[in-house]
Amino acid sequence: DFETLTTAYQWLRAGQHHFTSIIIDSLMEAQKRCIDSVVGVAALDQQDWGTLLRKLEALVRSYRDLTLIESNLVSVVLMLVGTRVGVKSGKQEPLLQGQLADTVPYYLDVVGYYFKQPQTDGTHVRSLLVDEIPGFVAKDGTGRLPGPIIATPNIAQLVELLKVNGL
């Protein structure tokens, strides 16, 4: 449930652990759990959308900020989420409901789009887009990643490249 995500955050913030990276899989599921905590199985009213947005944005920003606490070993927080073509933007964007799809990319240093890139021999290479190009929401605000496209990305390698202050 959503309370477990907030409890886990409190525990991680206390710093009494040896984790250097945190992965939330997936942010879409976290949003669904938040909806469950706000209205259960009822439909969201207009005021509920605001509550949902504030709670999820606070969660994303709180986990992101774990990397800023000097006494904490966390140097990378990875949040996974599916994508869809946005009705308004026409871009591949986070598969989140409401304004969260628009705001989440601004809170994060790196936003990548993972895809199968066709090769000339008819095969595909799994790749990660980390620079914005038309039709996709992606960015590398750290300047630490080779881009614009990383072929066959390795999570351990990406974590090493993104670690804050050499931690």
Side-chain angles (χ1 to χ4, degrees):
D1 61 17
F2 190 73
E3 288 70 31
T4 301
L5 287 170
T6 55
T7 301
Y9 163 75
Q10 294 296 332
W11 181 77
L12 290 164
R13 187 175 180 5
Q16 301 301 309
H17 58 80
H18 298 289
F19 297 113
T20 59
S21 59
I22 309 294
I23 299 175
I24 296 178
D25 185 9
S26 84
L27 197 52
M28 183 178 72
E29 180 66 20
Q31 186 180 46
K32 296 287 188 188
R33 299 296 177 154
C34 186
I35 291 170
D36 293 344
S37 75
V38 171
V39 296
V41 296
L44 289 163
D45 291 329
Q46 186 172 357
Q47 67 202 33
D48 297 328
W49 282 103
T51 301
L52 175 66
L53 178 65
R54 287 188 304 279
K55 287 180 98 170
L56 255 298
E57 284 181 338
L59 181 82
V60 168
R61 291 179 10 256
S62 294
Y63 270 90
R64 174 207 61 197
D65 290 349
L66 286 172
T67 64
L68 303 175
I69 302 169
E70 288 188 31
S71 62
N72 204 313
L73 296 175
V74 175
S75 59
V76 175
V77 176
L78 177 64
M79 297 182 191
L80 304 174
V81 66
T83 64
R84 66 167 176 221
V85 176
V87 175
K88 294 178 190 172
S89 71
K91 295 180 179 182
Q92 286 289 336
E93 63 185 23
L95 181 57
L96 296 166
Q97 295 181 20
Q99 291 180 348
L100 200 62
D102 298 329
T103 60
V104 161
Y106 292 100
Y107 295 131
L108 306 174
D109 291 330
V110 177
V111 177
Y113 176 73
Y114 191 60
F115 67 104
K116 288 172 35 176
Q117 186 175 26
Q119 302 297 295
T120 55
D121 64 0
T123 62
H124 293 82
V125 172
R126 294 190 184 277
S127 299
L128 183 66
L129 173 67
V130 292
D131 283 340
E132 187 171 354
I133 63 171
F136 298 87
V137 174
K139 71 176 185 177
D140 174 17
T142 69
R144 295 183 186 137
L145 297 176
I149 295 174
I150 303 169
T152 61
N154 174 301
I155 291 290
Q157 178 186 30
L158 293 174
V159 167
E160 285 302 313
L161 289 169
L162 293 171
K163 279 189 175 179
V164 176
N165 300 328
L167 293 176

